[in-house]
């Protein structure tokens, strides 16, 4: 069975406005965003994240006001210059529109 190079369901945006997200009591810089999740840059002295870990409160700032979503850590990617924690939103009902709106508002 051949694995395709890109199995992502939601296209990521990497050219985004500078954004910080508060998770586990620490502000983390947003690395990328899609309508289905976010990638945040982990700091060496910051909180630890584990693949499969559920996050009950992911605060997002929208032009309409703040919202809180739930998510799950889908991956931790380590490179020579940074470590990125990928978080997939656990969306229900009208929250799908929230993910789309957040991506649209963050794209530069």
């Amino acid at each position: 069975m051949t694995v395709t190079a890109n199995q992502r369901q939601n296209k990521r945006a990497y050219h985004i406005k500078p954004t910080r997200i508060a998770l586990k009591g620490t502000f983390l810089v947003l690395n990328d965003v899609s309508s289905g999740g976010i990638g945040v840059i982990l700091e060496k002295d910051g909180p630890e994240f584990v693949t499969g870990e559920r996050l009950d409160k992911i605060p997002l700032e929208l032009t309409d006001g703040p919202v809180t979503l739930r998510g799950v850590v889908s991956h931790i990617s380590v490179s020579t210059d940074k470590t990125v924690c990928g978080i997939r939103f656990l969306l229900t009902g009208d929250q799908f529109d929230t993910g789309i709106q957040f991506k649209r508002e963050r794209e530069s």
Side-chain angles (χ1 to χ4, degrees):
M1 176 179 218
T2 305
V3 178
T4 60
N6 188 354
Q7 296 179 344
R8 300 191 190 288
Q9 294 177 351
N10 301 300
K11 185 175 179 184
R12 289 185 186 193
Y14 292 94
H15 299 286
I16 56 177
K17 297 173 185 170
T19 304
R20 293 171 11 126
I21 304 284
L23 294 173
K24 295 186 174 184
T26 302
F27 282 98
L28 301 171
V29 175
L30 191 66
N31 182 70
D32 58 80
V33 62
S34 76
S35 59
I38 57 175
V40 294
I41 300 172
L42 299 182
E43 300 293 330
K44 291 184 191 318
D45 58 348
E48 291 187 24
F49 292 83
V50 178
T51 302
E53 177 181 1
R54 292 190 179 266
L55 303 170
D56 290 329
K57 294 182 181 180
I58 303 170
L60 304 177
E61 291 294 328
L62 300 174
T63 55
D64 298 343
V67 297
T68 302
L69 297 178
R70 294 180 330 110
V72 62
V73 175
S74 59
H75 69 87
I76 307 288
S77 300
V78 180
S79 68
T80 56
D81 61 333
K82 62 186 168 187
T83 299
V84 176
C85 175
I87 301 168
R88 180 175 45 89
F89 296 141
L90 299 174
L91 303 171
T92 59
D94 62 350
Q95 290 178 333
F96 288 98
D97 292 338
T98 301
I100 293 168
Q101 181 180 353
F102 184 69
K103 179 184 179 212
R104 188 179 325 116
E105 290 182 11
R106 299 292 20 113
E107 289 178 305
S108 55

